Amino acid sequence: MPSCMEAVRAEESGYGDNSIKGIQDEELLDFIERNLQDVDPALRVILSVDNAFSIDNLPQPDAYRSRYDGIVNLRKCNDIRGLTGFFCAVNNRLEAGGMFITCVETSIYRKERLYKKFPVVLNTLYYTMDYLAKRVAHKLPVLRNAYFFITAGRNRVFTSVEILGRLAYCGFEIKKTKRINNYLYILVSKREEKVDLKAKKYGFLFRMERAGQNGKTIMVYKVRTMHAYSEYIQDYIHATNNLDKGGKFKDDYRVTFAGRLFRKLWLDEVPMIYNFIKGDIKLVGVRPLSKHYLSLYNPEVVERRNNHKPGLIPPYYADLPETLDEIMLSEMKYFDHYEKSPLRTDILYLFKALRNILIKRARSK
């Protein structure tokens, strides 16, 4: 199986020629040909580089343009230190709508490879040690400098979500993904200008923008249950996965293994008590939603939502609707009752929700 480095006949400078004749893997060749067929060969470049400096110092494609219509980098993202800066550098060298192809060995593909490489039992032990060394170590302040000194940032472990999210964060729209051998190849187009973004830091707790009463934006606190940069691919997840029962995204692979456990035990909701104490939300009320999710709602429901403060325990847990339409009907019914008798309605909905949570084991997915 050819590696990303072996797939292209690169020159000593690290740059390949602008044709694709040097690519040896037929499946990869077909992927690039199909997706860059409308790009003038003189306005594209095929590379195998691992730093933003190489992107910044690309020669002009011609005497009149400093930007390209297509860039392909065959060095896997796992070996690129300063990945956010690298993606921003690519963004800055592309024309609006320009195409970019990159590749990554995802954590899942890496696990598959290592489990095949070693015998049973030993493969689990090796994979665990590899994961801790290549995925966890550089995230710990006490080990970060030593890790990068030893490894130069190469062969890190990334999830597909983090790479897709970083690309979206850096101004790209995700067009297509395809597994070729043991790598995930990603095709994106330049959506907006991104000059110099810094890598974001993700901790155990995080806060997110949500729509509050009267359209006011509030910051809601939760335990992180998703991979880093997940919030930047919400549109992509909706376009490719749609909604499942309960109004959640179907097969949402942004949620981590630990995150699913936290959600089942309601631990991810605990920090929202701070929002309740601040007065941003009340005990019972509609769930505070992101702007994107709210855009899926009927305008009439959005208008009614704006008139009410969101809550910690939503009417969803009282009615247990399954589709988005049913969720909106449930919320409208709650508003109708609440506007007639606020205290009585919240008490009734609270007891119904607690009964479903404790007896029917209703949980956030």
Side-chain angles (χ1 to χ4, degrees):
M1 179 186 70
S3 68
C4 285
M5 285 293 291
E6 295 167 339
V8 65
R9 186 181 66 242
E11 300 173 355
E12 291 184 2
S13 62
Y15 304 129
D17 56 32
N18 288 356
S19 72
I20 54 179
K21 63 185 180 182
I23 298 175
Q24 304 299 318
D25 186 278
E26 292 186 3
E27 192 175 6
L28 174 57
L29 179 64
D30 179 70
F31 181 77
I32 296 174
E33 280 184 326
R34 286 178 179 272
N35 292 295
L36 296 186
Q37 60 183 346
D38 296 328
V39 177
D40 186 339
L43 298 176
R44 71 186 183 203
V45 62
I46 298 177
L47 313 169
S48 183
V49 297
D50 62 2
N51 58 83
F53 179 82
S54 297
I55 301 296
D56 292 334
N57 287 276
L58 278 171
Q60 292 189 187
D62 60 37
Y64 304 99
R65 297 178 53 173
S66 61
R67 296 187 176 189
Y68 291 82
D69 287 335
I71 296 177
V72 178
N73 187 43
L74 298 174
R75 179 70 66 91
K76 61 182 179 180
C77 292
N78 312 75
D79 291 338
I80 301 174
R81 185 172 179 180
L83 192 55
T84 298
F86 182 87
F87 286 157
C88 284
V90 172
N91 180 290
N92 296 334
R93 293 308 306 271
L94 282 173
E95 294 285 1
M99 310 302 289
F100 173 47
I101 295 177
T102 187
C103 68
V104 60
E105 182 185 44
T106 68
S107 56
I108 294 175
Y109 298 170
R110 187 186 189 91
K111 182 177 181 179
E112 291 177 3
R113 176 171 62 82
L114 293 179
Y115 267 65
K116 291 177 181 177
K117 183 177 180 180
F118 297 97
V120 178
V121 179
L122 182 59
N123 55 14
T124 301
L125 178 62
Y126 186 92
Y127 169 74
T128 301
M129 297 302 294
D130 178 81
Y131 186 87
L132 291 174
K134 303 292 178 63
R135 175 68 177 171
V136 179
H138 66 87
K139 295 179 180 291
L140 302 176
V142 68
L143 297 177
R144 181 177 176 82
N145 291 336
Y147 171 85
F148 281 109
F149 177 78
I150 295 172
T151 68
R154 303 194 187 285
N155 210 21
R156 283 182 292 165
V157 178
F158 287 113
T159 64
S160 61
V161 172
E162 183 172 351
I163 298 301
L164 295 174
R166 282 181 186 255
L167 285 163
Y169 174 61
C170 294
F172 292 101
E173 179 182 355
I174 301 160
K175 293 294 187 181
K176 190 181 300 183
T177 63
K178 183 176 183 179
R179 180 173 183 172
I180 302 175
N181 294 318
N182 208 51
Y183 297 105
L184 180 69
Y185 283 83
I186 306 167
L187 171 72
V188 296
S189 66
K190 178 174 177 174
R191 183 185 69 247
E192 58 182 314
E193 198 80 22
K194 293 293 181 182
V195 180
D196 186 21
L197 295 175
K198 293 183 178 180
K200 296 173 69 67
K201 294 182 179 181
Y202 289 86
F204 182 69
L205 296 177
F206 78 109
R207 60 179 191 169
M208 52 192 179
E209 290 187 357
R210 291 293 183 260
Q213 190 174 16
N214 299 320
K216 176 185 176 183
T217 298
I218 60 175
M219 303 305 295
V220 174
Y221 294 82
K222 295 191 73 174
V223 171
R224 178 165 297 282
T225 58
M226 291 186 174
H227 293 290
Y229 293 89
S230 292
E231 63 271 32
Y232 296 100
I233 56 171
Q234 190 163 359
D235 290 357
Y236 174 74
I237 295 296
H238 177 252
T240 55
N241 288 40
N242 295 315
L243 298 179
D244 202 354
K245 290 182 178 181
K248 296 288 187 178
F249 289 120
K250 186 177 182 179
D251 300 322
D252 194 345
Y253 50 85
R254 297 177 301 167
V255 182
T256 65
F257 175 80
R260 297 185 191 282
L261 178 62
F262 289 152
R263 290 185 177 195
K264 283 186 177 181
L265 298 177
W266 282 73
L267 295 177
D268 63 312
E269 307 280 357
V270 172
M272 289 180 65
I273 295 175
Y274 175 69
N275 292 105
F276 173 70
I277 295 172
K278 283 180 61 181
D280 293 332
I281 61 177
K282 57 195 185 79
L283 182 60
V284 178
V286 294
R287 187 188 300 275
L289 299 178
S290 66
K291 291 180 180 179
H292 173 267
Y293 200 102
L294 201 58
S295 70
L296 305 177
Y297 270 54
N298 184 300
E300 183 183 358
V301 183
V302 175
E303 184 177 355
R304 293 287 293 276
R305 275 176 149 269
N306 284 338
N307 296 329
H308 297 271
K309 185 179 290 189
L312 185 60
I313 300 176
Y316 166 85
Y317 289 105
D319 298 333
L320 299 180
E322 294 190 345
T323 67
L324 181 59
D325 286 338
E326 290 176 356
I327 290 174
M328 289 190 287
L329 286 174
S330 170
E331 293 184 358
M332 291 293 276
K333 184 177 73 171
Y334 167 77
F335 292 141
D336 290 340
H337 289 306
Y338 183 83
E339 288 168 0
K340 293 178 181 177
S341 180
L343 182 60
R344 181 173 181 274
T345 298
D346 277 0
I347 291 175
L348 287 175
Y349 270 81
L350 175 62
F351 279 101
K352 284 182 181 179
L354 291 177
R355 181 191 62 192
N356 287 336
I357 291 169
L358 297 175
I359 297 177
K360 295 186 177 182
R361 314 299 293 177
R363 290 292 185 271
S364 176
K365 297 179 181 179

